[in-house]
Amino acid sequence: MRRRDFFKTTVAAGAALSLNFDGLQAALSGEAVAVEAAPDLVAVMGGEPEAMLDKALEALGGIGKYIKKGQKIVIKPNIGWDRTPELAGNTNPLLIKALVKRCLAAGASKVTVFDHTCDDWLKCYKSSGIEAAAKEAGAVVVPGNDEKYYKSVTIPGGVKIKEAKIHEALLEADAWINVPILKNHGGAKFSCAMKNLMGVVWDRRVFHSNDLQQCIADICTLQKKPALNIVDAYRMMHQNGPQGKSAADVATIKSLLASPDIVAIDTAALGLFNQVKKLDMAAVGHIGKGEALKLGSTNLDQLNIKRIRI
Amino acid sequence: MLAILFFVSALLFFIDFAGKIPQGVHALLHLQIVPAILSGAVGIMAFQFILVLVFGRLYCSAICPAGILQDAINRLFCIGKKKSKGVRRFSFRKPQNLLRYLLLGATAATALAGFTTLLVWLDPYSNFGRIAANLFRPVTMWGNNVLADLLTRMDNYALYHVTVHTVTTAGLLAGLLALLLFVGLTIFRGRLFCNTLCPVGALLSLISRYSFFRISFDEQLCNRCGNCERTCKAEAINSKQMTVDTSRCVDCFNCTSSCTKSSLKYRFRPPFASGKPSAEKPSSGKPAEAPAAGKLSSEAPAASPSNGRRRFFATGATVAATLPVLSTVAQYADLPEGEKPTEADNIDYERLPPVTPPGSAGLERFKDQCTGCHLCVVRCPTQVLRPAGLQFGFDYLLRPYCKFESSYCNYECTVCGEVCPVHAIRGLSKEEKRTTQVGVATFNISRCIVHTEGTDCGACSEHCPTQAVHMIPYEGTLTIPQVESELCIGCGGCESICPVRPYRAIVVVANREHAYVAPPEEEEVKEIEIDGFGF
């Protein structure tokens, strides 16, 4: 009996070891490949939102690099306006839906979606298609329409903004993903990843009256920075932003950018924007100010950029 | 049952802050008599009057939300009380015919002359509206917030936090005043409001005197116990003489259920068949006493010699009470025409006329039509409509106006015109709404952030749905707003978001008469192809 037991144990242990070893080796080699090639920024063009997202995440080394099992994740799209997806005022709902699914598949314990909208929030959540899409994918969609959802935090890195009320969902999250839509903007000239952070803040009037461009950069110094920025440029509003008037304001350029570097991704997005409409970097003050606050780099030449065409 | 159906749906429609109640419920409110008259709904009027002629004042017990509210107050009051102090505390009184018909006449005459002030204050439906909108609704919303907070703590977002924006001092006071009046009069003497102050009650009483179906005594069966008289909220039953004043009876049927001998019943007794109208003769006996005098005779006295004098005083008092109102109305009736300022610097921010809701066509028409029920105020999804206080003059009191303090009129929204039961706000199609100019945004560069601080802003342009406010090059890379007034519809998006204080750099100056702008040009959708990432 004892000997038999001994053999059994040995065999079992051996099998387990060899299995583990195989797995470990596979994981190690996979990691090695990913580390070697992990780009600072991925740009994808020519596909549908979900397909482009998968390409980008794959190139970045998988979503598991940015979120961990059991974490509470916030996805912050732009849901600012009472506009349908075709008018490109809000982030593409298909992208949000796919991203929620990827997060849950990666083991996120909870995925929360919200925005502090400009138009009536119920209308925005509905017209944008984001509420329905996110819920379908399993996310919790929370309101951002009332001051009580926002908690005051200090912004030590800010030049003009030293304190702001931030949505509690974001403050309570373990990690968050910033998912703006790229578009023209009457006030900030250009709205993308950095500008999207204004949607986590309650009082935006202060931003407008205290040097908007600096305030946008300031809010990006928020201690809880996005783990990843994913720019939706499937449809791009190139004029009359941020609301847009009609479909004539929209160019369908079927693109997507992803990067953890918020300044780099906005710099790249500005390049993409310039493919349709001329817009000078100097006019979009917040990008340069973000670099000055060491939030990232505008020097794309020194970054490892992966460009993918589908 | 019918009463509950009407009341509950009307009440819920007023307090529903989440848009859960179907919009179609507003059709029920169009049945209300004052709204029907004001909106010229001949069919509804005819229907209501025939209903009264056939069945009596069922309207007051089953359709009018203010009437049903008074019954609810009465029920609450009677809980836990002895019958003699509660449900059976009433006794027969003579009708206050002078007061009620004088008020009816004055209300009708002033309304015809274009001064709706009396109507605004006396219309039962509008008073109910103000109670529901300014008291019940905010209380419900706060209740919701307490619940929502609890649920949110449990990670449940079925309810969400709501902010009460629409309650103004004037609205609150008006609601409170109406509720106190209803509570006071109901506890004091049942349906006293309906039979003295209410112009609708007075109007219907003229018809219900002759109603075909009415409550009447079977003199053979009656044992004169007086239960019926004591349960009659309208104080219309004289059990000694076995008469029921159908001009005041609101068909609540409390008396018939209180009658143990089955003497009192709702019977087909058309006046032309019976020969003697069972209605109380208006001229008989008791002096007309204003309830405000607070003095009431507890016994039914015989006609007194001072009758004529009292009546004279009552008349005098009523007229005197009405006069200041009328004179104030007249005083404000011809406010100076506020010319649209051409120079933004000349705007007198304190004295801008109110921006009236799209569909109201203009200031004068609107204030003559609106009875201040605040239905539009509660249904407006952006809560931009607020009841006015005295800031626009006495004759605009309690009427809604667009307050662009923190919200604006949604470009695609036509709700206020759809629900307005008096058609003071006409229903607009989406196309009409998008081209109706209620006012014009007026930009004051000397106050603008871009000019004073030399930094980017553009919040106004961001919120402009027509891009009437658009950004043009300014110093360096800065851009500054410019307004194309012929594109602007006065939605207030710009004003609501402008960060400049105390006065904003861009404000909507109301059109006293609404104007129209050209529909947005159909821009050609160009296929845009790009060949690379651009970086």
Side-chain angles (χ1 to χ4, degrees):
Chain A
M1 284 296 270
R2 273 191 192 159
R3 199 166 49 185
R4 211 185 267 178
D5 278 350
F6 170 71
F7 278 120
K8 264 191 192 166
T9 318
T10 320
V11 171
L17 262 180
S18 65
L19 265 177
N20 273 352
F21 185 69
D22 284 350
L24 200 63
Q25 201 163 33
L28 278 175
S29 61
E31 190 76 355
V33 171
V35 167
E36 242 174 74
D40 300 307
L41 191 148
V42 179
V44 192
M45 187 181 279
E48 289 306 296
E50 185 165 4
M52 292 196 292
L53 173 71
D54 285 340
K55 287 281 181 202
L57 290 177
E58 187 192 11
L60 286 168
I63 195 163
K65 256 179 79 179
Y66 303 96
I67 66 171
K68 301 281 169 272
K69 240 190 181 120
Q71 281 188 331
K72 284 193 282 183
I73 304 298
V74 159
I75 293 176
K76 163 62 179 79
N78 184 338
I79 328 178
W81 306 97
D82 178 15
R83 287 284 187 273
T84 54
E86 296 70 40
L87 295 175
N90 309 306
T91 306
N92 195 310
L94 297 175
L95 175 60
I96 297 301
K97 187 175 172 179
L99 186 59
V100 171
K101 280 196 217 157
R102 300 300 174 274
C103 288
L104 289 172
S109 63
K110 179 185 173 190
V111 179
T112 306
V113 176
F114 79 91
D115 191 14
H116 180 190
T117 65
C118 297
D119 280 330
D120 176 46
W121 73 283
L122 288 166
K123 283 186 163 48
C124 293
Y125 276 30
K126 193 158 183 267
S127 302
S128 66
I130 290 178
E131 181 176 24
K135 278 185 175 167
E136 205 184 313
V140 181
V141 180
V142 303
N145 62 314
D146 196 282
E147 189 168 1
K148 81 152 275 281
Y149 295 116
Y150 296 78
K151 303 278 178 288
S152 199
V153 297
T154 54
I155 316 283
V159 176
K160 294 271 188 179
I161 299 284
K162 294 286 184 194
E163 200 182 3
K165 283 191 148 187
I166 306 293
H167 198 290
E168 59 190 16
L170 193 89
L171 297 176
E172 286 162 11
D174 297 308
W176 70 284
I177 304 178
N178 185 25
V179 197
I181 183 166
L182 167 61
K183 58 181 173 174
N184 164 257
H185 194 282
K189 313 285 167 49
F190 160 90
S191 173
C192 197
M194 293 180 73
K195 178 75 179 67
N196 199 36
L197 264 84
M198 273 179 82
V200 307
V201 183
W202 174 250
D203 186 4
R204 294 182 289 217
R205 208 179 75 202
V206 179
F207 280 59
H208 280 277
S209 51
N210 287 288
D211 188 351
L212 181 63
Q213 302 288 3
Q214 184 63 54
C215 291
I216 295 172
D218 285 2
I219 196 62
C220 294
T221 67
L222 184 70
Q223 262 150 339
K224 188 171 257 168
K225 295 188 177 53
L228 184 62
N229 303 283
I230 300 173
V231 171
D232 166 29
Y234 186 82
R235 298 189 187 89
M236 186 186 80
M237 184 189 293
H238 55 85
Q239 60 190 15
N240 293 323
Q243 253 196 96
K245 288 198 295 185
S246 69
D249 300 329
V250 178
T252 305
I253 58 173
K254 296 195 179 182
S255 303
L256 180 139
L257 310 176
S259 170
D261 182 334
I262 198 165
V263 175
I265 203 168
D266 271 8
T267 311
L270 182 64
L272 191 57
F273 189 88
N274 268 286
Q275 295 288 86
V276 179
K277 274 276 158 71
K278 174 106 187 71
L279 180 61
D280 206 14
M281 178 81 164
V284 192
H286 60 264
I287 301 181
K289 289 179 160 68
E291 186 174 42
L293 290 173
K294 307 210 173 356
L295 291 168
S297 168
T298 58
N299 193 347
L300 298 185
D301 296 340
Q302 292 190 344
L303 298 178
N304 177 7
I305 299 179
K306 184 160 188 186
R307 298 173 179 80
I308 303 168
R309 287 197 180 256
I310 296 180
Chain B
M1 274 321 288
L2 202 61
I4 293 170
L5 172 82
F6 274 106
F7 185 69
V8 170
S9 45
L11 186 64
L12 288 181
F13 197 56
F14 266 98
I15 61 180
D16 164 40
F17 50 83
K20 298 278 185 231
I21 309 291
Q23 192 70 4
V25 171
H26 71 82
L28 282 181
L29 300 175
H30 294 250
L31 283 177
Q32 299 299 321
I33 286 188
V34 168
I37 294 176
L38 286 178
S39 63
V42 182
I44 293 174
M45 273 189 278
F47 167 74
Q48 293 287 15
F49 293 155
I50 291 170
L51 200 68
V52 175
L53 183 64
V54 177
F55 298 108
R57 283 168 62 179
L58 262 183
Y59 175 84
C60 303
S61 277
I63 300 177
C64 173
I68 304 162
L69 176 67
Q70 290 172 72
D71 287 351
I73 294 168
N74 191 43
R75 283 218 166 187
L76 290 176
F77 174 75
C78 292
I79 290 175
K81 287 203 174 56
K82 275 195 266 174
K83 278 188 175 172
S84 61
K85 301 264 181 198
V87 285
R88 292 192 183 160
R89 70 183 184 279
F90 306 105
S91 61
F92 174 75
R93 311 274 179 161
K94 300 282 183 202
Q96 304 279 3
N97 282 336
L98 184 68
L99 180 62
R100 61 173 166 165
Y101 295 125
L102 196 73
L103 277 179
L104 171 63
T107 308
T110 52
L112 281 174
F115 309 123
T116 37
T117 304
L118 262 182
L119 191 61
V120 168
W121 286 101
L122 294 177
D123 171 31
Y125 158 70
S126 298
N127 273 302
F128 166 78
R130 291 195 286 269
I131 293 171
N134 299 300
L135 299 173
F136 295 165
R137 187 170 196 263
V139 168
T140 318
M141 288 166 85
W142 286 319
N144 165 81
N145 286 354
V146 171
L147 265 179
D149 289 356
L150 282 174
L151 285 176
T152 306
R153 240 169 259 156
M154 293 182 278
D155 212 22
N156 181 327
Y157 289 88
L159 293 179
Y160 50 86
H161 209 88
V162 286
T163 317
V164 184
H165 284 299
T166 54
V167 177
T168 62
T169 316
L172 187 67
L173 286 178
L176 211 54
L177 192 72
L179 186 63
L180 287 178
L181 184 80
F182 284 152
V183 170
L185 290 184
T186 304
I187 291 174
F188 177 48
R189 275 177 56 186
R191 288 294 198 100
L192 191 61
F193 173 85
C194 312
N195 281 321
T196 50
L197 300 178
C198 179
V200 178
L203 178 67
L204 297 188
S205 78
L206 294 173
I207 307 171
S208 69
R209 280 168 197 283
Y210 308 104
S211 65
F212 298 171
F213 284 91
R214 58 180 60 207
I215 288 165
S216 62
F217 282 87
D218 183 330
E219 296 181 9
Q220 308 300 314
L221 293 174
C222 176
N223 65 352
R224 292 178 173 72
C225 70
N227 275 353
C228 53
E229 178 173 334
R230 288 191 289 276
T231 61
C232 179
K233 293 172 298 192
E235 303 177 321
I237 300 178
N238 186 335
S239 61
K240 295 195 182 69
Q241 295 178 12
M242 292 194 279
T243 56
V244 180
D245 179 358
T246 47
S247 80
R248 284 183 291 157
C249 171
V250 292
D251 286 347
C252 72
F253 305 119
N254 283 0
C255 55
T256 54
S257 41
S258 79
C259 182
T260 51
K261 299 289 172 196
S262 304
S263 160
L264 211 59
K265 275 193 174 154
Y266 190 55
R267 299 182 173 94
F268 183 67
R269 284 278 163 84
F272 50 81
S274 72
K276 58 159 197 176
S278 56
E280 195 67 27
K281 284 278 181 291
S283 55
S284 70
K286 212 182 124 193
E289 253 174 346
K295 204 177 81 177
L296 71 147
S297 39
S298 48
E299 295 298 311
S304 76
S306 62
N307 193 1
R309 201 168 51 191
R310 280 203 191 167
R311 189 169 286 187
F312 170 75
F313 279 128
T315 319
T318 319
V319 173
T322 325
L323 271 179
V325 176
L326 290 180
S327 60
T328 328
V329 169
Q331 184 189 332
Y332 283 98
D334 48 1
L335 267 178
E337 275 297 311
E339 284 159 14
K340 210 181 291 171
T342 43
E343 284 287 317
D345 295 307
N346 293 340
I347 294 178
D348 181 356
Y349 291 94
E350 300 289 354
R351 287 182 60 86
L352 288 173
V355 176
T356 58
S360 61
L363 183 55
E364 293 302 322
R365 178 190 169 275
F366 183 58
K367 72 183 180 199
D368 291 350
Q369 291 261 320
C370 171
T371 60
C373 74
H374 299 174
L375 183 60
C376 55
V377 172
V378 301
R379 299 307 297 179
C380 173
T382 57
Q383 303 196 47
V384 70
L385 290 175
R386 319 270 171 102
L390 286 166
Q391 68 268 47
F392 306 116
F394 185 78
D395 58 349
Y396 205 80
L397 184 61
L398 296 178
R399 272 72 162 183
Y401 72 106
C402 298
K403 185 165 187 178
F404 302 127
E405 184 187 34
S406 56
S407 57
Y408 50 95
C409 180
N410 192 298
Y411 188 52
E412 305 277 343
C413 179
T414 54
V415 166
C416 53
E418 281 161 34
V419 298
C420 179
V422 303
H423 293 198
I425 310 173
R426 291 190 196 121
L428 298 179
S429 68
K430 283 212 177 354
E431 290 69 37
E432 288 169 321
K433 159 64 196 286
R434 289 192 290 247
T435 53
T436 299
Q437 187 190 58
V438 297
V440 180
T442 315
F443 176 58
N444 186 337
I445 190 171
S446 66
R447 308 187 66 86
C448 180
I449 295 278
V450 182
H451 174 80
T452 57
E453 309 293 319
T455 57
D456 272 318
C457 178
C460 52
S461 169
E462 255 183 64
H463 282 69
C464 181
T466 64
Q467 286 299 299
V469 183
H470 58 271
M471 306 303 286
I472 55 166
Y474 193 57
E475 292 159 6
T477 61
L478 294 176
T479 54
I480 201 157
Q482 187 183 51
V483 184
E484 303 287 347
S485 51
E486 60 274 20
L487 287 178
C488 176
I489 60 166
C491 73
C494 52
E495 180 178 337
S496 73
I497 203 70
C498 177
V500 185
R501 295 293 182 279
Y503 299 120
R504 305 184 187 197
I506 191 160
V507 290
V508 175
V509 176
N511 284 348
R512 282 175 167 268
E513 292 291 332
H514 291 182
Y516 300 93
V517 299
E521 271 175 46
E522 288 281 326
E523 276 178 85
E524 200 187 333
V525 182
K526 281 180 232 146
E527 274 301 312
I528 295 170
E529 296 257 342
I530 57 171
D531 47 7
F533 288 104
F535 55 87

